[in-house]
Amino acid sequence: MCPPEHFTVEYAINPWMDTTVAVDSGLALKQWEQLRTTLVNLGHVVHVLDPEPGLPDMVYSANGAFSVDGTVYGARFKYPQRSAEALAHQAFYLAAESWRFVAPEQVNEGEGDFAYLPGAYGGIVLAGYGFRTDPAAHAEAQEALGRPVVSLRLVDPAFYHLDTALAALDDRHVTYYPGAFSPASQRVLAQLFPDAVLADREDAEAFGLNLVSDGRHVILNTEAVAMGHKVRDAGYLPVHVDLSELKRGGGSVKCAVAELRP
Ligand code: ARG
């Protein structure tokens, strides 16, 4: 995670970002700290990246890389405003030494567009494209990680990253909003995950799919009340955290957490 110390909305690269409305940076920091504490209290180890001035989106740390079983596929951001963030993430993994770091050639925004399901089909990667990540990065990720990568086309600009439209609930189960995907990709998801928890547009707009799950607890935005009920009905424990300020940049819980798979 990376604290939103320099968080602002000074450019607009997704439909949620409105540069005319000021961000409450004190509140953003408080809400972020609440998310960090929630994860720690649930027993998770949280590493914190140093925030850098001039990188207002650095709080969305999920976009900086994608790791699977000790291999890290680095990010390469689509927009120049964010490109320097990739170096901070790369430095984190290289400093730990235990990771195998693969530098990308293709544009991809890390866990923003990649999800890993270790218990599905022997371990598969779901990958989004259409707005940020180049489909060529899906093949590059498959070569880097040695796992099958299933390409899914995102079609709604409001859900520009895979992690705004789909989430892993545990090692083999997913939840997603079908309308964010092309009809063909919806078919692919229905075939692979017939037992998925289906979300609707309202859930997705509340950033209810931008969740982090440890397989038991599902941490999600406070506003996503109906989504909380859906995950409870599916047997998980919803834990709500208010991230109203981070939503102004077009992200929520998942965007703020890069998961490490050593
Ligand atoms: N403002 C950021 C961007 O548009 C938000 C990134 C949200 N992160 C995510 N994992 N979806 O790039």
Side-chain angles (χ1 to χ4, degrees):
M1 295 180 70
C2 179
E5 263 164 45
H6 308 288
F7 176 58
T8 57
V9 177
E10 60 193 47
Y11 50 78
I13 55 175
N14 70 58
W16 301 92
M17 299 174 87
D18 181 349
T19 55
T20 64
V21 184
V23 162
D24 183 339
S25 47
L27 181 59
L29 256 176
K30 231 176 87 186
Q31 293 178 335
W32 178 89
E33 181 54 28
Q34 188 62 44
L35 173 60
R36 195 192 65 84
T37 313
T38 300
L39 291 167
V40 169
N41 289 344
L42 289 171
H44 303 291
V45 176
V46 178
H47 302 272
V48 175
L49 276 187
D50 281 338
E52 289 174 30
L55 296 176
D57 273 336
M58 212 176 155
V59 60
Y60 304 107
S61 60
N63 303 145
F66 175 55
S67 69
V68 173
D69 291 345
T71 296
V72 183
Y73 175 53
R76 184 163 176 176
F77 285 84
K78 167 154 180 171
Y79 294 107
Q81 293 97 324
R82 297 197 68 187
S83 59
E85 293 180 41
L87 290 173
H89 287 266
Q90 178 171 352
F92 170 83
Y93 291 102
L94 294 181
E97 276 173 11
S98 49
W99 299 94
R100 183 172 85 93
F101 189 88
V102 180
E105 271 172 24
Q106 307 299 336
V107 168
N108 83 87
E109 299 199 344
E111 286 198 318
D113 274 320
F114 289 108
Y116 185 54
L117 278 294
Y121 307 98
I124 61 163
V125 174
L126 302 180
Y129 72 99
F131 297 100
R132 297 290 180 90
T133 295
D134 192 305
H138 296 182
E140 193 176 49
Q142 177 165 289
E143 285 305 305
L145 302 168
R147 298 290 187 288
V149 175
V150 178
S151 283
L152 302 165
R153 185 154 80 88
L154 296 162
V155 294
D156 186 330
F159 311 114
Y160 58 95
H161 270 149
L162 181 70
D163 73 0
T164 64
L166 177 146
L169 288 169
D170 58 29
D171 286 356
R172 71 186 74 198
H173 295 104
V174 298
T175 176
Y176 64 95
Y177 164 50
F181 298 90
S182 69
S185 292
Q186 289 181 37
R187 223 198 131 213
V188 169
L189 283 168
Q191 180 180 326
L192 293 177
F193 301 101
D195 53 3
V197 175
L198 295 185
D200 57 27
R201 190 178 178 90
E202 217 179 305
D203 299 322
E205 283 182 339
F207 274 81
L209 290 158
N210 197 249
L211 60 82
V212 166
S213 175
D214 60 16
R216 179 167 162 72
H217 310 95
V218 172
I219 301 127
L220 73 173
N221 194 22
T222 300
E223 195 193 324
V225 178
M227 195 60 207
H229 294 145
K230 282 177 196 171
V231 299
R232 188 184 293 280
D233 290 345
Y236 305 88
L237 286 173
V239 179
H240 288 280
V241 178
D242 190 1
L243 287 181
S244 59
E245 288 306 296
L246 289 196
K247 195 179 173 188
R248 295 166 180 271
S252 193
V253 177
K254 175 57 217 171
C255 302
V257 179
E259 291 170 68
L260 303 178
R261 299 178 196 85

Short mmCIF file of all heavy atoms in Angstrom, two decimals, residues 2 7 56-64 77 82 85 89 245-252 255-257:
data_model
loop_
_atom_site.label_atom_id
_atom_site.label_comp_id
_atom_site.label_asym_id
_atom_site.label_seq_id
_atom_site.Cartn_x
_atom_site.Cartn_y
_atom_site.Cartn_z
N CYS A 2 0.30 2.35 -0.42
CA CYS A 2 1.05 3.60 -0.47
C CYS A 2 0.13 4.73 0.01
O CYS A 2 -0.94 4.95 -0.59
CB CYS A 2 1.52 3.85 -1.90
SG CYS A 2 2.44 5.38 -2.09
N PHE A 7 -2.00 12.83 -2.79
CA PHE A 7 -3.17 12.52 -3.61
C PHE A 7 -3.93 13.80 -4.00
O PHE A 7 -4.24 14.64 -3.15
CB PHE A 7 -4.10 11.59 -2.81
CG PHE A 7 -5.40 11.27 -3.50
CD1 PHE A 7 -5.41 10.68 -4.76
CD2 PHE A 7 -6.62 11.54 -2.90
CE1 PHE A 7 -6.60 10.37 -5.40
CE2 PHE A 7 -7.82 11.24 -3.52
CZ PHE A 7 -7.81 10.64 -4.78
N PRO A 56 0.31 11.75 -7.96
CA PRO A 56 -0.91 11.78 -7.15
C PRO A 56 -1.69 10.47 -7.13
O PRO A 56 -2.46 10.22 -6.20
CB PRO A 56 -1.73 12.91 -7.78
CG PRO A 56 -1.20 13.06 -9.16
CD PRO A 56 0.25 12.72 -9.07
N ASP A 57 -1.47 9.62 -8.14
CA ASP A 57 -2.22 8.35 -8.21
C ASP A 57 -1.46 7.18 -7.58
O ASP A 57 -1.88 6.03 -7.68
CB ASP A 57 -2.54 8.00 -9.67
CG ASP A 57 -3.84 8.64 -10.16
OD1 ASP A 57 -4.70 8.95 -9.31
OD2 ASP A 57 -3.99 8.80 -11.38
N MET A 58 -0.35 7.50 -6.92
CA MET A 58 0.48 6.42 -6.38
C MET A 58 -0.22 5.60 -5.30
O MET A 58 0.16 4.45 -5.02
CB MET A 58 1.77 7.01 -5.82
CG MET A 58 2.96 6.08 -5.97
SD MET A 58 4.47 6.85 -5.39
CE MET A 58 5.38 5.36 -4.99
N VAL A 59 -1.26 6.20 -4.70
CA VAL A 59 -2.06 5.48 -3.70
C VAL A 59 -2.69 4.21 -4.30
O VAL A 59 -2.95 3.24 -3.58
CB VAL A 59 -3.14 6.41 -3.09
CG1 VAL A 59 -4.09 6.94 -4.16
CG2 VAL A 59 -3.91 5.70 -1.99
N TYR A 60 -2.91 4.22 -5.62
CA TYR A 60 -3.53 3.05 -6.27
C TYR A 60 -2.43 2.03 -6.59
O TYR A 60 -2.07 1.79 -7.76
CB TYR A 60 -4.29 3.47 -7.53
CG TYR A 60 -5.33 4.52 -7.25
CD1 TYR A 60 -5.16 5.85 -7.65
CD2 TYR A 60 -6.50 4.21 -6.53
CE1 TYR A 60 -6.11 6.82 -7.37
CE2 TYR A 60 -7.45 5.18 -6.24
CZ TYR A 60 -7.25 6.48 -6.67
OH TYR A 60 -8.18 7.45 -6.38
N SER A 61 -1.91 1.46 -5.55
CA SER A 61 -0.69 0.65 -5.68
C SER A 61 -0.92 -0.67 -6.41
O SER A 61 0.04 -1.29 -6.86
CB SER A 61 -0.11 0.38 -4.29
OG SER A 61 -1.04 -0.31 -3.50
N ALA A 62 -2.18 -1.09 -6.56
CA ALA A 62 -2.44 -2.34 -7.27
C ALA A 62 -1.97 -2.28 -8.72
O ALA A 62 -1.76 -3.32 -9.36
CB ALA A 62 -3.93 -2.67 -7.24
N ASN A 63 -1.80 -1.08 -9.24
CA ASN A 63 -1.46 -0.94 -10.66
C ASN A 63 0.02 -1.09 -10.97
O ASN A 63 0.42 -1.10 -12.13
CB ASN A 63 -1.95 0.42 -11.19
CG ASN A 63 -3.44 0.61 -10.97
OD1 ASN A 63 -3.89 1.71 -10.72
ND2 ASN A 63 -4.20 -0.47 -11.02
N GLY A 64 0.85 -1.22 -9.91
CA GLY A 64 2.30 -1.16 -10.11
C GLY A 64 2.98 -2.44 -10.51
O GLY A 64 4.15 -2.42 -10.93
N PHE A 77 2.72 1.84 -17.45
CA PHE A 77 1.47 2.59 -17.45
C PHE A 77 1.13 3.17 -18.81
O PHE A 77 2.01 3.53 -19.59
CB PHE A 77 1.55 3.72 -16.41
CG PHE A 77 1.43 3.23 -15.00
CD1 PHE A 77 2.54 2.75 -14.32
CD2 PHE A 77 0.20 3.21 -14.36
CE1 PHE A 77 2.43 2.28 -13.01
CE2 PHE A 77 0.08 2.73 -13.06
CZ PHE A 77 1.20 2.27 -12.39
N ARG A 82 1.47 8.69 -14.96
CA ARG A 82 1.67 7.63 -13.97
C ARG A 82 2.92 6.78 -14.22
O ARG A 82 3.23 5.91 -13.40
CB ARG A 82 0.43 6.70 -13.91
CG ARG A 82 -0.85 7.39 -13.46
CD ARG A 82 -1.91 6.37 -13.02
NE ARG A 82 -1.53 5.67 -11.79
CZ ARG A 82 -2.20 4.65 -11.27
NH1 ARG A 82 -3.27 4.18 -11.89
NH2 ARG A 82 -1.79 4.07 -10.16
N GLU A 85 5.55 5.65 -11.58
CA GLU A 85 5.15 4.79 -10.46
C GLU A 85 5.73 3.38 -10.59
O GLU A 85 6.05 2.73 -9.59
CB GLU A 85 3.62 4.68 -10.37
CG GLU A 85 2.93 5.97 -10.00
CD GLU A 85 1.42 5.80 -9.93
OE1 GLU A 85 0.95 4.77 -9.42
OE2 GLU A 85 0.70 6.71 -10.40
N HIS A 89 7.65 0.59 -7.68
CA HIS A 89 7.25 -0.80 -7.42
C HIS A 89 8.39 -1.77 -7.74
O HIS A 89 8.67 -2.68 -6.98
CB HIS A 89 5.99 -1.15 -8.24
CG HIS A 89 4.76 -0.50 -7.70
ND1 HIS A 89 3.93 -1.12 -6.81
CD2 HIS A 89 4.25 0.74 -7.88
CE1 HIS A 89 2.94 -0.29 -6.48
NE2 HIS A 89 3.11 0.84 -7.12
N GLU A 245 -13.05 9.31 -0.62
CA GLU A 245 -12.11 10.22 -1.30
C GLU A 245 -11.36 9.53 -2.43
O GLU A 245 -11.16 10.11 -3.49
CB GLU A 245 -11.12 10.82 -0.30
CG GLU A 245 -11.75 11.86 0.62
CD GLU A 245 -12.46 12.98 -0.15
OE1 GLU A 245 -11.82 13.73 -0.89
OE2 GLU A 245 -13.71 13.06 -0.01
N LEU A 246 -10.98 8.27 -2.20
CA LEU A 246 -10.25 7.56 -3.27
C LEU A 246 -11.14 7.32 -4.48
O LEU A 246 -10.65 7.16 -5.61
CB LEU A 246 -9.67 6.25 -2.75
CG LEU A 246 -8.49 6.36 -1.79
CD1 LEU A 246 -7.78 5.03 -1.66
CD2 LEU A 246 -7.49 7.42 -2.25
N LYS A 247 -12.43 7.30 -4.27
CA LYS A 247 -13.36 7.10 -5.39
C LYS A 247 -13.27 8.27 -6.38
O LYS A 247 -13.51 8.12 -7.57
CB LYS A 247 -14.79 6.97 -4.85
CG LYS A 247 -15.75 6.41 -5.87
CD LYS A 247 -17.15 6.24 -5.35
CE LYS A 247 -18.08 5.84 -6.49
NZ LYS A 247 -19.50 5.85 -6.12
N ARG A 248 -12.89 9.45 -5.87
CA ARG A 248 -12.76 10.62 -6.75
C ARG A 248 -11.65 10.46 -7.78
O ARG A 248 -11.61 11.16 -8.78
CB ARG A 248 -12.46 11.86 -5.93
CG ARG A 248 -13.57 12.26 -5.00
CD ARG A 248 -12.98 13.26 -4.03
NE ARG A 248 -13.95 13.71 -3.07
CZ ARG A 248 -14.75 14.76 -3.30
NH1 ARG A 248 -14.66 15.43 -4.41
NH2 ARG A 248 -15.61 15.12 -2.38
N GLY A 249 -10.73 9.55 -7.49
CA GLY A 249 -9.67 9.27 -8.47
C GLY A 249 -10.03 8.07 -9.32
O GLY A 249 -9.28 7.68 -10.22
N GLY A 250 -11.18 7.44 -9.02
CA GLY A 250 -11.62 6.29 -9.80
C GLY A 250 -11.15 4.97 -9.23
O GLY A 250 -10.88 4.02 -9.98
N GLY A 251 -11.01 4.90 -7.90
CA GLY A 251 -10.57 3.63 -7.31
C GLY A 251 -11.14 3.42 -5.92
O GLY A 251 -11.77 4.31 -5.35
N SER A 252 -10.90 2.24 -5.38
CA SER A 252 -11.36 1.93 -4.02
C SER A 252 -10.42 0.91 -3.39
O SER A 252 -9.21 0.96 -3.65
CB SER A 252 -12.81 1.47 -4.06
OG SER A 252 -13.35 1.47 -2.75
N CYS A 255 -7.87 -1.20 -5.61
CA CYS A 255 -6.85 -0.35 -6.25
C CYS A 255 -5.76 0.04 -5.28
O CYS A 255 -4.62 0.28 -5.68
CB CYS A 255 -7.49 0.93 -6.77
SG CYS A 255 -8.81 0.68 -7.93
N ALA A 256 -6.11 0.13 -4.00
CA ALA A 256 -5.15 0.62 -3.00
C ALA A 256 -4.27 -0.49 -2.43
O ALA A 256 -3.39 -0.21 -1.63
CB ALA A 256 -5.91 1.32 -1.88
N VAL A 257 -4.52 -1.72 -2.85
CA VAL A 257 -3.80 -2.85 -2.26
C VAL A 257 -3.18 -3.73 -3.35
O VAL A 257 -3.90 -4.36 -4.14
CB VAL A 257 -4.74 -3.72 -1.39
CG1 VAL A 257 -4.00 -4.91 -0.79
CG2 VAL A 257 -5.39 -2.88 -0.29
#
